[in-house]
Every structure is written in C-alpha cells, then in structure tokens.
Amino acid sequence: MRRALQARWAWLMPRLAIAYVMLLVASHATRAFQSNDVVPPSGESSVMVAAIDGDRTLDRQIRLAYWDAPSQAGPTAPVVVLLHGSPGDGRDMLSLAPALARSYRVIAPDLPGFGASAHEIPDYSFRAHSRYLRELLDALGVERAHLVAFSMGGGVALSLAEIAPERISSITMLSAIGVQEMELLGDYRLNHALHGLQLGALWMVREATPHFGLFDRMVLGVEYARNFYDSDQRPLGAALRAYAGPMLIVHGERDPLVPVQAAIEHHRVVPQSELQLLDNDHFMVFTNGDLPASRARAFFERVDAGMAATRATADPERVAASQRPFDPHSAPQAMGIAAVVLVALLAAATLVSEDLTCIGAGVMAANGRIGFALAVFACLLGIFVGDVLLFLAGRYLGRPALGRVPLRWFLREADVERCSRWFNRRGAAAIFVSRFVPGARLPTYFAAGLLDTSVWWFSLYFLIAAAVWTPALVGVAMLFGSEVVSSAVLGSGVLTAAVVAILLAYVLLRLTLRLATWRGRRLLVGRWRRLVQWEFWPPWAFYPPVLVYVAYLMIRHRGLTVFAAANPAIPDGGFVGESKAAILDGLSPDSDAIARYVRVSASLDG
C-alpha cells in the first residue's frame, strides 16, 4: 500500500509542478497589462513631488495624495497634519477631522506607498516619508503645522522634527512608536531580521503565487512590509531627546501593538511632554476618533496661546530624569501581535536546536520579554511539531530519506540502526529516555516511525517526556539568565548579556548530560587528553605558533633560511615535510641507539 502511494505521488508531483508554473506565467502576464495606478477617491487631492531615496532627492516625480478639510474658522486658521500608521492611509485619520476642523485646517496625506499615492517608490522608510511630508507642506504653502502621529506615523513626525524642526508647532503622539527598545524584540538587528522574514514571505505570496493581480493591493502587502523593513527606529530615541517643542502623548492602556510602557518611556525622555493614558486600545482612532481629537484640540489651543511647556520651560526634575539611560527592566512582556510573533519564532527555532531554543526562551523570560508559561508553550509546541514530523518522515519516507537533504544533515544510518535495536527492546522507555540523552532524539523518533509505532502512543509518551524536560530546562535557563543579564560586569547591553547567558547555559547543559552517562564521561576524558597533549592537536592549531617562532628566528638572525640550520644533512633541517626513513638512513645503522626498521612501500597490500 505504501509503495503504491509513493508511486502515485511520484507520478503526480511533476505534473502538478508544470501546471503551477503555467498558471504563474499566465498570472504575471496578466499583471503586466494591468495598471498599478490607484485613482484617488472623490474628495481627495494630489500633488507631484520629487522622489526620495534615503537622504537624496531624485530627478523623477511621484504622486502624493492627501485629504484637505478646510477650517470653519476661515483660510487663515492654523494647520493640523494627521499622519496615519502602517498599513493604512489618510482616510484612517479622518475620524479626527470633524472635531479639529472647527478651529483648524486638517490635512491627512496618504504617505507614499499607501492609499492613492504612488506605490512604486525607492524608499518606504518613515525617514523618507518625513521628507515627502516636507515637500507636501511646501507645495501647499504651509509654513508650520501641528502634527498628530498615529502608530508608525510617530516615526515620521520625529524624523521631520530632526530635519525641519521649524515646520512643527507641536507633536501629538497617538498610540505612536518611538524608542527601539519597546518595539517587538527590543533590538534593531532582531527586529530587522523579523521584518525581513515578513517582507520575504509577502513578496513570495505576491510574486510566486498565481493570483492574477488579486494580491497586488493587499492591506498587509509588500509596501507595508517594506515600510517596516526600510525604517530604522534606533535614531528615534535621540530625536525624542532632542525635540524641544510641545508634545502630547495619548495612549491606550490596553494597546496590544505598541505597549503602554512605550508611552511612559517617551514621557520620561521628553520632559516637557504631557501624558494622557486612556482606557482604550491601539485602535481608538478607528472606533472613537472624537476622544483623542478632543484631547488634541485642547492641547493645540494651549500651544497656540503659549501656555504649553517646552524643553526650555520644563520641570528641572523631569529634565534630570530624562537624562538617565534606558532601564531594560522597564521593557514590557510581549503581548498581542508581539507575543504571537515570539511564539512562532521560538517554535520554528526548535526545529534547528531544541535545547538551545529552550535556553534562549528562558533567558528571554529572565529579561522580562516573555512570560515563563508562554516560553514553555512556544518551545513545547515547536518540539512537538518537529518531532512528529520526524516520526512521520520515518514512517512514510523510510530509509531512502536518510540519503536526502535535509535528513542526511542530521541523521546517520548507523545511528538509526542502533536506535531501532534499542527501540525494539525498550519501546516506550526508549522514547522517554531519548529526551534526556544527547544525540538520541532524532534517530530514535525516526526509528519509531520506521518501525510502524502507533502515532497515538508515540505522541503520548513524547508529550510526557517533553512536559517534564521543557519546563525544567526553560526554568533553569531563566534563573541562570537572570543572574547573568543583571550582572553589572557585562556592561554591554541586554542583547549581549542574553547571548552570553544562552551560550553558557547551553555549554553547561551539554556538559551535565555528558557527565550523566559512563560513555559520555569516557568521551569527555578522551577529549580532554587530546586537548592537553600537543601530539593530538590539529595542524591549524599546532603550526601557527611554530611559524611565529620561525619568523622570530628569521628576524633575529637576519636570514630567511636560518631556521633550516638545525641539521644541514636533512632537507629543510627537519622542519617540516621530511622523510623519517631518510633521517634514519643518514644515521649509523650499526648504532645501538637506532632501532631496527623496515621501509614499507605504500603500494603493498595489507
């Protein structure tokens, strides 16, 4: 039955592949004749502005669409610019317009890459968006404006404050991003890698699936992913500290995307800022726009009347507090989307190394980035999925799979044979014990599938073993990581401390497991002896010091070949590559100090 299924699958696979390629070619051909332009909806205007790439202004122009709501106070009313988040467009912010338009002219642009603005642009970062915003203000003849920045729009507002502070009357941070340490994993490199994976996945959906244009305007599309991938949040901390004008921070206490701790940190580093925490979430701009709009309007009125604080007039105690460095312990535990992302990453990482991932999850729990229960769940989920897949590979692919990628990278047929014999003798005990024996898990689980073990019994025994192993390992790593990360000796940042903690815990784990068995102890003794006895050192470790000493002799005795003077009768002075037989031949054969020897030809058998 299994061979019949394999034969049918082998016949079907190439035909499915050919059909898929044909559909993909037809999809790309259809998309090539479709227009990528988005017609602005009724009531939305647009201007042509120069394209931006980083800090460079290019020769070509792009369309920038915007909504413009005139003020009831007349054409001379001050201006408010509403900056949307990602994904989104200017329409997302129009719920704030009715309350603000009583006294202010309201402009809500579709930032390039979104809405009715141009989508094919060289740079999607909020740094580039801030330059587009300055071009829009120039085109509309607006000298200064109050900015209301929602979510990712906070990066645009802070970037504009860096390049053109004279154009800003005030900034209202509405559920807005800011300091890097409060975003997702808290580190730029990790976040950037995560955004890169997201971009790659969405690009594959758009370019490698036959959708005939259906996915070209997805809300969570490539443009949204490029916005995050192209943006660098690291400078925003300095921009917050440098901003001197009035600032209002409005944030929901139940925000699952930008944690409330981010708003509290922004309030700390901007001593003149006002903080208003509301019993709401990240999406108050969509569900109850009048609430933040009324808070912002009252703030604008105080700013225009000269009654709002600036950095120059801020409380000295708050100014002093703003100078203190970021406290890593103030970082929040992952929640909402961040928690889902972390669980997915940890689960995927177990497919590479279960133990190292469990240790890493424990250290993250020690840092406060993730709760202990969530860390254990993520690791257990990934371990379960990975090992069941390995079991199924053994059952349905069998021994031929051992010679194929990726199994041949991790499994040797000799290991599977040994574990098969062990499994035949021990059964359930083998599954349980293999969880605690280094190097036994992969071949044991593969062998269990190969021997037609019941999936239900295998899963039951495996879950029992993993339920014991995973919380213990994560918990030990959490305790150990807490000590390392909090050590003042490291002084090189939480990320470096976490990496050190993970590596140390991993080494200690492997050492402990080796010491737990007689075979492991003998292997460690043998490895130690090879380490301390130079005869066992590999050439790459043995010869570099010798070469350094040879160079020293050359310099000292002013000669390139002086090192060969050890014995002129031997080629190269016995330094390297000499024949031992030639050396013995050169000595007196009648000497009692020379053992009898026979030169054996390499061509002889045996």
Side-chain angles (χ1 to χ4, degrees), residues 406-425:
L407 287 179
R408 72 180 184 188
W409 296 341
F410 306 104
L411 290 175
R412 295 181 303 172
E413 189 165 357
D415 292 333
V416 174
E417 289 285 357
R418 176 172 55 84
C419 290
S420 294
R421 293 192 297 271
W422 182 27
F423 191 83
N424 277 325
R425 292 195 308 269

Side-chain angles (χ1 to χ4, degrees), residues 17-359:
I18 293 173
Y20 190 87
V21 170
M22 293 176 64
L23 284 173
L24 187 61
V25 171
S27 175
H28 278 276
T30 302
R31 292 169 59 204
F33 289 99
Q34 292 176 344
S35 174
N36 290 326
D37 292 335
V38 177
V39 178
S42 176
E44 189 171 16
S45 306
S46 65
V47 295
M48 300 302 293
V49 297
I52 301 294
D53 187 4
D55 290 334
R56 296 184 301 115
T57 301
L58 306 182
D59 291 335
R60 68 185 183 91
Q61 290 192 317
I62 66 164
R63 184 176 65 192
L64 201 165
Y66 64 96
W67 299 88
D68 191 348
S71 171
Q72 299 173 12
T76 61
V79 176
V80 174
V81 176
L82 307 178
L83 300 173
H84 64 80
S86 177
D89 56 38
R91 286 177 296 183
D92 297 341
M93 306 297 291
L94 293 183
S95 62
L96 281 66
L100 296 175
R102 301 172 193 170
S103 306
Y104 298 90
R105 176 187 177 188
V106 179
I107 299 172
D110 292 347
L111 296 173
F114 301 96
S117 292
H119 282 238
E120 297 297 328
I121 56 175
D123 188 348
Y124 291 79
S125 69
F126 50 61
R127 179 79 175 181
H129 285 155
S130 69
R131 295 183 177 275
Y132 284 123
L133 178 57
R134 184 173 61 177
E135 289 194 64
L136 176 63
L137 295 178
D138 290 340
L140 299 180
V142 176
E143 293 296 326
R144 289 173 64 84
H146 298 281
L147 303 184
V148 179
F150 169 65
S151 195
M152 179 66 89
V156 180
L158 293 174
S159 296
L160 184 64
E162 277 194 306
I163 65 174
E166 72 283 356
R167 310 298 293 270
I168 298 176
S169 298
S170 72
I171 296 178
T172 297
M173 302 280 280
L174 177 56
S175 304
I177 65 166
V179 293
Q180 175 72 78
E181 292 83 357
M182 295 296 182
E183 177 73 10
L184 285 180
L185 305 181
D187 178 80
Y188 170 76
R189 299 167 199 80
L190 297 177
N191 288 350
H192 194 62
L194 185 60
H195 295 320
L197 289 173
Q198 175 182 244
L199 175 59
L202 291 175
W203 186 89
M204 287 295 293
V205 168
R206 190 181 73 176
E207 302 298 333
T209 59
H211 57 84
F212 298 90
L214 182 63
F215 297 158
D216 284 339
R217 286 293 178 261
M218 292 191 304
V219 175
L220 295 177
V222 171
E223 295 86 358
Y224 143 79
R226 278 285 305 272
N227 183 209
F228 279 90
Y229 184 76
D230 290 357
S231 296
D232 188 349
Q233 215 170 312
R234 289 173 294 180
L236 296 188
L240 282 162
R241 290 179 172 84
Y243 177 67
M247 176 177 286
L248 172 66
I249 301 171
V250 181
H251 213 94
E253 294 177 328
R254 296 180 282 108
D255 193 324
L257 299 183
V258 181
V260 68
Q261 289 87 348
I264 296 172
E265 177 66 10
H266 301 160
H267 180 54
R268 181 185 73 84
V269 299
V270 184
Q272 74 273 24
S273 64
E274 303 176 21
L275 176 62
Q276 298 185 18
L277 299 181
L278 308 180
D279 183 20
N280 219 306
D281 56 23
H282 189 75
F283 306 102
M284 69 177 90
V285 69
F286 305 109
T287 60
N288 190 8
D290 285 341
L291 178 62
S294 61
R295 306 297 180 99
R297 188 183 64 195
F299 171 66
F300 299 155
E301 291 172 353
R302 292 198 302 276
V303 172
D304 294 338
M307 299 174 60
T310 63
R311 185 173 291 269
T313 61
D315 184 350
E317 291 186 3
R318 288 193 57 191
V319 173
S322 69
Q323 303 304 315
R324 293 196 297 266
F326 173 77
D327 179 9
H329 296 291
S330 66
Q333 283 192 7
M335 58 183 296
I337 297 297
V340 173
V341 169
L342 274 181
V343 168
L345 287 176
L346 289 172
T350 60
L351 302 179
V352 179
S353 174
E354 296 175 0
D355 293 342
L356 194 57
T357 301
C358 290
I359 293 170

Side-chain angles (χ1 to χ4, degrees), residues 484-529:
V484 174
V485 172
S486 62
S487 174
V489 177
L490 291 172
S492 55
V494 175
L495 179 63
T496 303
V499 171
V500 171
I502 291 171
L503 293 178
L504 287 177
Y506 185 72
V507 170
L508 288 176
L509 171 69
R510 307 305 293 181
L511 182 61
T512 302
L513 292 176
R514 287 287 185 188
L515 292 173
T517 63
W518 180 87
R519 183 174 182 272
R521 290 192 294 271
R522 299 311 304 165
L523 289 173
L524 285 175
V525 170
R527 184 169 295 180
W528 172 255
R529 288 176 177 173

Side-chain angles (χ1 to χ4, degrees), residues 590-601:
D590 299 326
S591 173
D592 295 335
I594 304 300
R596 295 181 181 180
Y597 66 94
V598 176
R599 184 183 306 177
V600 179
S601 173

Side-chain angles (χ1 to χ4, degrees), residues 518-594:
W518 180 87
R519 183 174 182 272
R521 290 192 294 271
R522 299 311 304 165
L523 289 173
L524 285 175
V525 170
R527 184 169 295 180
W528 172 255
R529 288 176 177 173
R530 289 194 299 272
L531 183 65
V532 298
Q533 297 180 18
W534 60 267
E535 294 94 334
F536 296 101
W537 292 0
W540 60 263
F542 179 81
Y543 282 109
V546 177
L547 295 176
V548 172
Y549 182 66
V550 167
Y552 163 74
L553 293 177
M554 290 179 182
I555 297 172
R556 180 181 178 184
H557 298 286
R558 299 180 180 85
L560 296 178
T561 60
V562 68
F563 67 91
N567 190 339
I570 301 174
D572 293 327
F575 174 67
V576 65
E578 72 279 1
S579 166
K580 194 161 189 176
I583 294 174
L584 294 174
D585 289 343
L587 299 174
S588 173
D590 299 326
S591 173
D592 295 335
I594 304 300

